[in-house]
Amino acid sequence: MSFVEYGDTIKDGDTAIVFLGHESMFPVKVQHGTVTQTKYGVIRHSTDLIGKKYGSKVTCSKGGWVFILHPTPELWTMNLPHRTQILYSTDISIITMMLELKPGSIVCESGTGSGSLSHALIRTVAPTGHLYTVEFHQQRAEKAREEFKEHGVEHLVTVTNQDVCKNGFGVSNVADAVFLDIPSPWEAIGHAKSALKAEGGRICSFSPCIEQVQRTCLAMEEYGFTEINTLEILLRVYNVRTISLQIPDLGKAAGDNSSTGSDSSNPSHQGSPCANLQQGAVQFKSGVPLREVVGHTGYLTFATKS
Amino acid sequence: AMEDGLMQGSRIREGDCAVLKRDDVFKAVPVLRRRKIIFEKQWFYLDNAIGHSYGTTFEVTSGGNLQPKQEVEETTTETKEAGTDNRNIVDDGKSQKLTHDDIKALKDKGIKGQEIVQQLIENSTTFRDKTEFAQDKYIKKKKKKYEAVITIVKPSTRILSTMYYAREPGKINHLRYDTLAQMLTLGNIRAGNKMIVMETCAGLLLGAVMERMGGYGSIIQMYPGGGPIRAATSCFGFPKHFFDHLHEFPLSKVDSLLSGTFSTETLPSEPEDNTLVEEESNGLTDEKQTFLQETEEEPTTEAAMEISQTEEQETMDINAERVECKENKEKESKENVREKQRKQWERRKKLMEAAALLGEKNADGLIVASKFHPTPLLLALLEFVAPSRPFVVYCQYKEPLLDCYTKLRERGGVINLKLSETWLRNYQVLPDRSHPKLTMSGGGGYLLSGITVVLDKGKSDSSNSEALRMEEPSSKRCKVQDLHC
């Protein structure tokens, strides 16, 4: 296993995802002789995991079972230990596409944070690209390095512990794309420009507040970036449910329902396959929005150096 | 190959696929000499663009020549006079002293757009009374109309998916670019994968997957009808080797492959240039069907017209080639028969390869975006996917995905099912004038995604209900779910 290559069977040293049920999972480092506790009982790595196929159902000591999944950047994002606020897959996906990343791309990123985006970037630019990521917090930089090594991707990434606003990315004229997720991105636009290749490239800055965006846009214009574009992407998740709505009793004589006019939601209306009239109720499948959703993560500002 | 790629990246070369850009409007064109291009009411030739780097902005000069645009200092009105509000501005329709004929005369004289804009400003009696912001807006609007500039950019998923969504959403089932971006991420598309792609999005999704795989790994494209449609794929201008491990397999053979009765002998024997014919006729039926299905389809826009014009042009070229082909045929009919057999044999061999790849049932993912109902596609094609791999299915409508979700739950072998949609909002960011853009897209389609797991067939019934309980957020919902309708 590695984060940039699928493997079929679970091996000693792998990072695997233990899937317990509805959105409930956690990462585990597979090691001979180790046990992992779950609410369904104990998983013994040597016998329950190593040598098994990824995607297998594993029965725990109390008789309950879990699935063991191959790691991906998306599963890692949902399960990683937070050291900072992180970017989630919805934002990550539009960042990746709008920065035009692909195998072979050279990317600069700051800050590294908890490495949520970093893993996704590495996945996309592998096997011939490289990520230069800059984190001014020493412990976070260290921790990120450790994780990259554990996940078998350390050859694709360089972590530098410095202040990107003062010292830049540590490289110049190499990058196809730059990503900024720092409190004052406008202070790093000049460094971003010199990190990008002479022939040009793309930049993205993530900021939660519009005031940050305004300063960043001004800085981008000042440094000659073009195609400056700010957008926001929001995820809507739907629960799939079978809903049953009661038919009100309007006091009509039985069998008179069909003649009540043009209402197409009328239960006796032909051709709506799911509408079974059953004890005065109509059933249908619905995608129901969650009661509370993320309404704002941050603004994404993209631009081109040409 | 890498160096080749880099060189390709910087300069516009003859034969390239390029994208023309004016403001937010894109158009993909092949770079050919002496070929007239019509884009945004302007016509020109690309000859002079060859050799310049991608990203260069050109001015269209008389005679349709392109000339790199010089960065000019903004000709700001000397005395920066501006009003504070519009209380005294009356719309009497007489504020512009230049008549239509005057403006036309200026244009006919070949006067630069920049100068026309300047004249319009000078001849506007209300310009000085407008607020600074209103002046800005006025200039921007006039510039857009009179300054004939275009930028030539390199094609990418970002540009082509934006272009298709704006110009021909019907051809890509209204798959909005942010939804496409989600698909690539949710599907963990990357170098080295063995992917199954089923799409009727003109080959845009295939192109996006190919870009993310960078020529590493393999792709099996499932296609309906006589052959895969790859009009959008060809706009990417991928290097040849990207196609070495691109396979195709007809959807109509999936059942036989799954039941073990598949054989290439049952293939309908088709004439060799059939792929082309099929592609075109497919395109046509596609359009007709869309019109039938959706009577409220947007009226044909000028943009769409432009595209169909180029397509006509291209079709004509193809026809010409075919005529040549036919002439040759008559002359060398013997060789033709041999050629026919060779092509037939090659087709069969390619098909066998694709069948063998699918038969291994170890694909690293499945990605679907088509005009068909997703349920049968998913139920069949998931058989070819290895456990612990992601799959994503797109549908323009939510309801078929509700059905698909239910059927997948009944089947088992999948977890972490998620039905989702993304909203995209663009912003105007200007000093003291920042706000969300006036319009946003109403619909970019829906996604159903999940992860495959080992399907234990022995006790599928009990495990299914367990799986149900496992993923349902609350027990109340379980009860409702059990009432199948």
Side-chain angles (χ1 to χ4, degrees):
Chain A
M1 147 340 288
S2 111
F3 270 65
V4 291
E5 199 179 356
Y6 281 119
D8 285 337
T9 53
I10 306 165
K11 295 190 187 68
D12 190 25
D14 280 6
T15 298
I17 308 292
V18 180
F19 184 91
L20 292 107
H22 184 75
E23 302 248 315
S24 161
M25 48 186 142
F26 60 86
V28 63
K29 198 178 171 202
V30 180
Q31 274 173 310
H32 264 300
T34 308
V35 295
T36 298
Q37 283 289 345
T38 76
K39 60 180 173 182
Y40 302 120
V42 162
I43 302 171
R44 286 171 218 289
H45 292 202
S46 305
T47 52
D48 297 338
L49 296 184
I50 294 169
K52 287 258 176 72
K53 236 180 155 115
Y54 274 110
S56 301
K57 189 190 264 188
V58 169
T59 309
C60 307
S61 62
K62 287 182 193 166
W65 40 262
V66 297
F67 285 107
I68 307 296
L69 300 180
H70 197 288
T72 64
E74 287 59 56
L75 286 173
W76 182 247
T77 289
M78 286 192 266
N79 294 291
L80 57 82
H82 283 219
R83 303 181 282 273
T84 55
Q85 281 262 19
I86 64 160
L87 279 167
Y88 289 93
S89 298
T90 312
D91 283 309
I92 290 172
S93 63
I94 196 93
I95 291 166
T96 310
M97 187 170 101
M98 291 305 199
L99 287 182
E100 303 189 334
L101 302 184
K102 55 193 177 208
S105 297
I106 309 292
V107 193
C108 289
E109 175 203 31
S110 189
T112 314
S114 307
S116 170
L117 176 69
S118 315
H119 279 82
L121 296 176
I122 292 167
R123 173 265 314 275
T124 304
V125 305
T128 47
H130 200 85
L131 171 67
Y132 294 92
T133 184
V134 176
E135 170 62 54
F136 70 172
H137 190 284
Q138 200 198 329
Q139 271 173 307
R140 279 184 218 145
E142 283 298 325
K143 195 72 198 140
R145 273 191 206 112
E146 269 171 48
E147 274 174 4
F148 294 140
K149 199 164 182 200
E150 245 171 55
H151 297 162
V153 297
E154 79 265 42
H155 57 295
L156 295 164
V157 53
T158 306
V159 185
T160 309
N161 177 213
Q162 64 186 28
D163 183 349
V164 72
C165 297
K166 288 204 184 97
N167 310 107
F169 291 93
V171 288
S172 58
N173 285 329
V174 298
D176 297 290
V178 172
F179 177 80
L180 292 168
D181 178 7
I182 53 172
S184 53
W186 56 90
E187 291 176 11
I189 299 298
H191 294 300
K193 192 181 179 184
S194 52
L196 286 166
K197 282 178 180 159
E199 64 255 42
R202 295 276 294 165
I203 185 172
C204 174
S205 171
F206 175 94
S207 294
C209 307
I210 196 72
E211 291 82 0
Q212 293 170 301
V213 176
Q214 286 170 333
R215 297 183 73 166
T216 306
C217 285
L218 284 176
M220 283 177 175
E221 222 169 281
E222 204 179 299
Y223 281 97
F225 282 92
T226 57
E227 280 192 286
I228 303 170
N229 180 28
T230 301
L231 58 84
E232 187 184 23
I233 185 167
L234 289 172
L235 181 71
R236 308 262 305 168
V237 177
Y238 298 97
N239 280 323
V240 180
R241 307 238 188 107
T242 305
I243 308 286
S244 174
L245 290 184
Q246 268 203 315
I247 303 300
D249 177 9
L250 300 176
K252 281 235 162 113
D256 215 21
N257 268 349
S258 53
S259 59
T260 47
S262 60
D263 185 2
S264 63
S265 65
N266 189 305
S268 59
H269 181 76
Q270 298 266 316
S272 87
C274 241
N276 285 346
L277 188 57
Q278 187 183 53
Q279 295 174 337
V282 166
Q283 279 193 8
F284 60 93
K285 287 264 178 215
S286 179
V288 185
L290 307 186
R291 216 168 62 82
E292 199 171 57
V293 293
V294 175
H296 180 67
T297 55
Y299 301 104
L300 292 164
T301 302
F302 295 92
T304 302
K305 171 187 173 180
S306 52
Chain B
M2 279 259 289
E3 273 171 21
D4 204 337
L6 283 176
M7 280 174 39
Q8 227 181 348
S10 46
R11 301 272 165 203
I12 301 166
R13 294 183 310 181
E14 192 176 1
D16 274 5
C17 296
V19 178
L20 310 176
K21 175 180 187 291
R22 188 177 175 192
D23 297 308
D24 295 328
V25 186
F26 295 102
K27 179 180 183 170
V29 292
V31 179
L32 296 171
R33 288 184 195 274
R34 292 177 294 281
R35 160 88 70 99
K36 194 172 178 178
I37 305 266
I38 301 164
F39 176 53
E40 289 283 281
K41 291 183 186 165
Q42 302 174 74
W43 61 268
F44 47 84
Y45 297 90
L46 292 176
D47 300 46
N48 290 350
I50 295 168
H52 286 282
S53 51
Y54 277 102
T56 306
T57 299
F58 297 92
E59 269 175 296
V60 182
T61 62
S62 55
N65 289 315
L66 293 181
Q67 187 185 311
K69 191 177 190 288
Q70 316 284 321
E71 271 308 316
V72 197
E73 279 298 302
E74 290 296 297
T75 44
T76 40
T77 29
E78 328 72 53
T79 49
K80 262 237 165 181
E81 267 182 86
T84 49
D85 58 42
N86 59 11
R87 76 182 75 190
N88 294 318
I89 294 183
V90 184
D91 182 12
D92 55 4
K94 291 178 199 155
S95 58
Q96 181 54 253
K97 293 299 168 208
L98 289 182
T99 64
H100 276 292
D101 293 338
D102 293 341
I103 296 168
K104 195 173 175 295
L106 286 175
K107 275 209 239 171
D108 290 344
K109 264 192 249 169
I111 288 183
K112 279 201 171 178
Q114 223 169 340
E115 285 159 34
I116 298 180
V117 173
Q118 197 54 38
Q119 294 227 25
L120 285 169
I121 293 169
E122 278 159 20
N123 286 287
S124 165
T125 53
T126 49
F127 185 81
R128 273 150 206 270
D129 299 327
K130 286 178 193 276
T131 65
E132 212 180 304
F133 296 153
Q135 288 181 354
D136 250 20
K137 206 170 163 182
Y138 181 86
I139 294 173
K140 260 195 191 149
K141 237 167 119 180
K142 296 299 173 198
K143 269 191 176 175
K144 197 174 169 180
K145 193 163 174 191
Y146 295 103
E147 283 193 12
V149 292
I150 58 140
T151 306
I152 300 184
V153 294
K154 234 183 116 70
S156 64
T157 301
R158 165 177 78 97
I159 284 162
L160 293 176
S161 61
T162 315
M163 179 187 86
Y164 262 92
Y165 189 73
R167 296 178 79 108
E168 300 191 287
K171 282 207 173 142
I172 54 165
N173 303 296
H174 294 251
L175 170 68
R176 202 175 50 213
Y177 46 97
D178 54 311
T179 314
L180 173 61
Q182 298 292 311
M183 294 184 79
L184 299 170
T185 297
L186 288 170
N188 193 23
I189 312 295
R190 64 171 174 210
N193 278 6
K194 172 177 172 179
M195 290 302 304
I196 300 175
V197 176
M198 164 56 207
E199 64 130 289
T200 59
C201 294
L204 178 69
L205 177 66
L206 176 71
V209 171
M210 286 171 76
E211 183 184 275
R212 285 290 173 90
M213 290 179 57
Y216 302 91
S218 56
I219 303 171
I220 306 139
Q221 184 184 13
M222 315 299 292
Y223 64 87
I229 294 172
R230 292 175 183 162
T233 320
S234 63
C235 294
F236 283 82
F238 290 128
K240 268 210 175 102
H241 76 269
F242 273 41
F243 295 88
D244 291 349
H245 298 283
L246 171 60
H247 306 266
E248 61 232 28
F249 191 83
L251 264 186
S252 59
K253 292 280 160 194
V254 166
D255 266 343
S256 66
L257 188 60
L258 283 171
S259 63
T261 58
F262 171 76
S263 112
T264 53
E265 300 306 318
T266 57
L267 269 185
S269 51
E270 287 158 285
E272 74 257 47
D273 55 351
N274 191 336
T275 14
L276 271 177
V277 181
E278 286 277 350
E279 237 171 76
E280 279 167 312
S281 65
N282 258 351
L284 285 177
T285 32
D286 266 353
E287 268 161 41
K288 270 180 215 149
Q289 276 175 357
T290 337
F291 277 119
L292 283 179
Q293 275 170 12
E294 235 179 271
T295 38
E296 36 163 2
E297 192 71 48
E298 309 91 273
T300 327
T301 57
E302 175 209 325
M305 295 265 297
E306 278 180 30
I307 267 208
S308 65
Q309 269 175 359
T310 22
E311 274 182 352
E312 254 167 53
Q313 220 167 15
E314 276 153 27
T315 315
M316 275 161 58
D317 291 350
I318 292 165
N319 279 335
E321 277 163 34
R322 219 179 287 153
V323 169
E324 270 174 47
C325 252
K326 268 177 193 154
E327 280 168 9
N328 289 342
K329 250 184 243 169
E330 280 156 26
K331 283 179 197 162
E332 307 157 31
S333 64
K334 252 189 193 172
E335 222 166 85
N336 190 43
V337 170
R338 221 175 300 149
E339 178 73 4
K340 205 168 173 178
Q341 283 173 333
R342 195 184 59 80
K343 279 195 173 164
Q344 188 76 260
W345 181 80
E346 250 172 31
R347 264 190 77 220
R348 204 161 273 171
K349 193 178 144 224
K350 278 185 77 179
L351 191 72
M352 288 298 281
E353 278 172 15
L357 278 172
L358 287 170
E360 292 170 353
K361 300 196 172 187
N362 65 352
D364 293 319
L366 168 66
I367 186 155
V368 176
S370 80
K371 62 185 176 185
F372 300 108
H373 198 293
T375 305
L377 288 174
L378 264 276
L379 290 179
L381 299 181
L382 276 177
E383 298 289 319
F384 301 121
V385 181
S388 198
R389 300 292 188 272
F391 62 90
V392 199
V393 51
Y394 166 85
C395 188
Q396 192 184 342
Y397 311 100
K398 200 200 281 175
E399 290 73 12
L401 292 179
L402 297 175
D403 174 71
C404 195
Y405 179 101
T406 311
K407 296 288 175 8
L408 285 179
R409 274 290 169 76
E410 284 167 14
R411 171 192 182 266
V414 293
I415 55 165
N416 213 32
L417 284 184
K418 203 173 194 176
L419 176 60
S420 66
E421 171 197 17
T422 47
W423 285 1
L424 187 70
R425 199 153 157 129
N426 279 285
Y427 285 82
Q428 167 181 304
V429 181
L430 289 170
D432 296 326
R433 281 160 293 162
S434 299
H435 58 73
K437 291 239 172 97
L438 199 60
T439 55
M440 63 190 273
S441 159
Y446 300 86
L447 295 178
L448 178 62
S449 63
I451 301 170
T452 56
V453 290
V454 174
L455 180 64
D456 48 5
K457 280 166 180 153
K459 40 171 189 172
S460 70
D461 262 344
S462 64
S463 71
N464 275 348
S465 60
E466 271 176 273
L468 262 181
R469 224 166 291 137
M470 193 167 160
E471 284 206 60
E472 284 300 326
S474 79
S475 58
K476 197 176 172 188
R477 220 160 289 147
C478 269
K479 272 183 207 156
V480 184
Q481 189 86 40
D482 287 338
L483 302 166
H484 290 294
C485 63

